[in-house]
């Protein structure tokens, strides 16, 4: 009996800095933990990966439930290579076992794989009701949150941190948000697929990279679910570019851009995919995208949300995946130091977007002065 009553060493007990939120956090964690499960995958009868997952939908008549988890569950690549490439090899036929909280196991059937957002949906036969989480789309930088996971014994794992918006590095998707762990928790690496929850126990995102501590915010997940329920897919526009938000630059840089060029928001082009339409119409690294279809975008998460929204009209017109859609973009040319408007042809796709490295001209002094 003693085994069941030992004191776990979670951050809530060890970190005195959390004393002011300890009771609130405890209730939030215990509520959210009911929906967190563990999944394991096998390829050719050999263990592949383990990830956490979340119940998020149940069909009482069919006695099935859907599990949301990280696509890394069925990705074979060396974990250290994930930071060096855009998309990996996913084994959709891998055997997946779902570990239920009553210590029973059942098979999971892959229903949908979203390579770009790096999550997967599995269907599971369940005889009992499952606890569905509540999601929260409204978050702010610096917010207290907890990352939840499960170990091999199905014990809940808890890590405290804060939300952060940041500038993506190469091979990091534009829709990422960041989980900044406490320094005392740096050694606590959990499986991908676990939720990030707020102090009300609501899910604000799904962890998709335990190395960089990145996660997909709930606002993006919601848009994907809505689209999937109506059109049976989760598309977005592929622009052939990556960006850094001006909003997250140092205030010195923002003030300089405003003073010299009257630009205080927008997205700085970081990479342009080789032979993309963006490259063909003259968009280069260092240019600033001020608006898309007349709408000003200040963060890459806002951009990602817009890229999904633009697909609704495309599908309402009975158009299909892997076809083209034109977007009007207002560009501030970092070389000529002047604005221009161009029509950019994007691809509607539910696959992962690869940005092919090209040979771009080095920005001169004038272009560099924009930043």
């Amino acid at each position: 009996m003693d085994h069941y009553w030992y004191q776990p060493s979670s951050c809530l007990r060890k970190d005195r800095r959390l004393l002011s939120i300890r009771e609130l956090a405890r209730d939030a964690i215990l509520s959210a933990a009911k929906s967190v499960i563990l999944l394991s995958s096998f390829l050719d009868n050999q263990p592949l990966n383990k990830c956490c997952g979340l119940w998020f939908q149940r069909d009482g008549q069919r006695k099935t439930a859907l599990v949301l988890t990280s696509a890394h569950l069925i990705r074979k690549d060396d974990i250290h290579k994930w930071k060096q490439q855009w998309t990996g090899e996913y084994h959709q036929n891998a055997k997946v076992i779902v570990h239920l909280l009553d210590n029973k196991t059942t098979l999971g059937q892959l229903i949908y794989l979203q390579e770009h957002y790096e999550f997967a949906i599995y269907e599971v036969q369940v005889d009992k009701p499952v606890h569905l989480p509540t999601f929260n789309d409204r978050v702010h930088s610096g917010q207290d949150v907890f990352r939840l996971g499960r170990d091999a014994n199905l014990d809940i794992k808890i890590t405290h941190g804060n939300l952060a918006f940041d500038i993506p590095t190469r091979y990091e998707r534009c829709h990422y948000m960041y989980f900044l762990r406490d320094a005392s928790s740096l050694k606590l690496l959990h499986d991908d697929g676990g939720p990030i929850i707020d102090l009300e126990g609501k899910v604000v995102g799904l962890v998709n990279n335990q190395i960089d501590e990145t996660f997909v915010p709930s606002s993006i997940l919601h848009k994907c679910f809505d689209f999937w329920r109506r059109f049976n897919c989760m598309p977005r526009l592929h622009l052939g570019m990556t960006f850094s938000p001006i909003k997250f630059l140092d205030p010195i840089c923002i003030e300089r851009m405003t003073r010299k060029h009257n630009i205080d928001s927008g997205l700085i082009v970081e990479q342009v995919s080789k032979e993309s339409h963006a490259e063909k119409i003259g968009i280069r690294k260092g240019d600033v995208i001020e608006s898309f279809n007349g709408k000003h975008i200040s963060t890459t998460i806002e951009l990602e949300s817009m890229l999904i929204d633009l697909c609704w009209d495309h599908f309402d017109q009975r158009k299909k995946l892997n076809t083209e859609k034109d977007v009007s973009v207002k560009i501030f040319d970092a070389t000529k130091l002047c604005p221009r408007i161009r029509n950019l042809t994007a691809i509607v796709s539910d696959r992962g977007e690869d940005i092919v490295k090209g040979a771009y001209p080095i920005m001169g002094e004038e272009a560099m002065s924009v930043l």
Side-chain angles (χ1 to χ4, degrees):
M1 185 65 115
D2 289 342
H3 169 73
Y4 296 99
W5 298 104
Y6 72 93
Q7 293 289 343
S9 56
S10 79
C11 58
L12 281 184
R13 292 193 61 85
K14 296 191 329 183
D15 194 338
R16 296 182 61 85
R17 293 172 299 177
L18 302 181
L19 188 61
S20 63
I21 61 171
R22 181 178 292 174
E23 291 187 13
L24 194 62
R26 178 201 61 203
D27 293 343
I29 290 166
L30 291 177
S31 174
K34 298 174 184 177
S35 62
V36 181
I37 56 175
L38 182 68
L39 301 92
S40 53
S41 60
F42 299 83
L43 189 63
D44 298 327
N45 294 320
Q46 297 297 315
L48 182 57
N49 286 316
K50 286 186 177 181
C51 286
C52 293
L54 286 174
W55 299 116
F56 82 98
Q57 187 171 301
R58 186 174 188 269
D59 188 328
Q61 291 185 336
R62 296 177 58 231
K63 292 186 177 181
T64 61
L66 298 182
V67 179
L68 175 67
T69 187
S70 169
H72 293 167
L73 178 66
I74 53 174
R75 183 169 171 172
K76 191 177 181 180
D77 311 330
D78 184 327
I79 192 170
H80 297 291
K81 292 182 179 179
W82 293 355
K83 297 174 67 175
Q84 303 170 15
Q85 56 190 12
W86 286 107
T87 54
E89 181 182 2
Y90 295 98
H91 298 274
Q92 299 191 35
N93 294 323
K95 179 181 178 181
V96 170
I97 294 179
V98 180
H99 303 262
L100 305 177
L101 299 186
D102 59 3
N103 288 317
K104 295 180 180 179
T105 60
T106 185
L107 292 176
Q109 179 182 354
L110 181 64
I111 298 298
Y112 195 84
L113 172 65
Q114 222 304 337
E115 294 181 8
H116 189 84
Y117 298 120
E118 299 172 295
F119 65 76
I121 297 174
Y122 281 84
E123 186 177 63
V124 182
Q125 290 290 140
V126 288
D127 295 327
K128 302 177 181 177
V130 297
H131 184 84
L132 302 181
T134 303
F135 291 82
N136 180 14
D137 293 352
R138 294 181 176 274
V139 295
H140 60 83
S141 184
Q143 179 177 342
D144 281 300
V145 291
F146 290 87
R147 173 179 172 168
L148 304 185
R150 289 202 181 273
D151 62 16
N153 297 318
L154 297 184
D155 287 333
I156 198 73
K157 294 299 181 182
I158 307 164
T159 305
H160 172 261
N162 300 99
L163 292 186
F165 296 91
D166 208 343
I167 296 175
T169 61
R170 181 166 179 82
Y171 300 118
E172 286 188 347
R173 299 294 191 188
C174 289
H175 59 267
Y176 287 165
M177 287 189 66
Y178 297 83
F179 175 75
L180 302 183
R181 286 178 292 179
D182 297 333
S184 59
S185 305
L186 288 179
K187 293 183 180 180
L188 296 178
L189 289 178
H190 302 160
D191 293 327
D192 293 336
I196 304 291
I197 66 166
D198 62 18
L199 292 180
E200 295 181 350
K202 297 179 180 179
V203 176
V204 299
L206 184 82
V207 176
N208 67 336
N209 192 319
Q210 62 178 343
I211 298 177
D212 290 339
E213 297 293 353
T214 58
F215 67 93
V216 184
S218 292
S219 58
I220 299 298
L221 294 174
H222 264 146
K223 286 182 177 291
C224 288
F225 297 158
D226 289 344
F227 214 108
W228 177 64
R229 290 179 179 117
R230 179 169 176 181
F231 297 109
N232 202 34
C233 62
M234 301 179 189
R236 61 183 292 280
L237 293 187
H238 287 197
L239 300 179
M241 295 178 282
T242 63
F243 309 92
S244 292
I246 290 175
K247 184 176 182 178
F248 301 144
L249 294 177
D250 190 282
I252 296 174
C253 297
I254 300 175
E255 193 277 337
R256 181 197 304 150
M257 294 178 70
T258 304
R259 176 165 43 86
K260 289 188 174 183
H261 308 291
N262 197 30
I263 299 174
D264 59 5
S265 67
L267 303 175
I268 301 170
V269 177
E270 291 291 342
Q271 301 171 81
V272 181
S273 190
K274 185 179 180 181
E275 297 182 356
S276 65
H277 191 254
E279 183 184 65
K280 292 176 182 176
I281 64 174
I283 299 178
R284 295 292 182 265
K285 178 177 179 178
D287 289 347
V288 177
I289 307 298
E290 297 189 69
S291 66
F292 294 85
N293 283 351
K295 182 178 180 180
H296 292 275
I297 300 293
S298 61
T299 70
T300 51
I301 293 178
E302 288 179 12
L303 170 65
E304 200 64 34
S305 179
M306 185 205 70
L307 296 181
I308 299 174
D309 289 342
L310 288 175
C311 292
W312 277 93
D313 179 60
H314 184 84
F315 275 76
D316 282 337
Q317 296 177 16
R318 300 185 183 276
K319 295 181 181 179
K320 299 180 179 180
L321 285 170
N322 304 314
T323 53
E324 298 178 344
K325 182 175 180 62
D326 289 337
V327 180
S328 174
V329 293
K330 182 180 179 182
I331 310 156
F332 183 85
D333 191 312
T335 301
K336 297 180 180 179
L337 302 181
C338 63
R340 55 195 174 100
I341 296 177
R342 293 288 185 273
N343 278 329
L344 173 66
T345 300
I347 305 298
V348 178
S349 174
D350 65 348
R351 302 295 301 274
E353 182 175 13
D354 288 323
I355 304 297
V356 181
K357 189 174 182 179
Y360 310 119
I362 299 176
M363 290 189 294
E365 256 183 58
E366 285 299 316
M368 290 295 292
S369 70
V370 174
L371 307 182

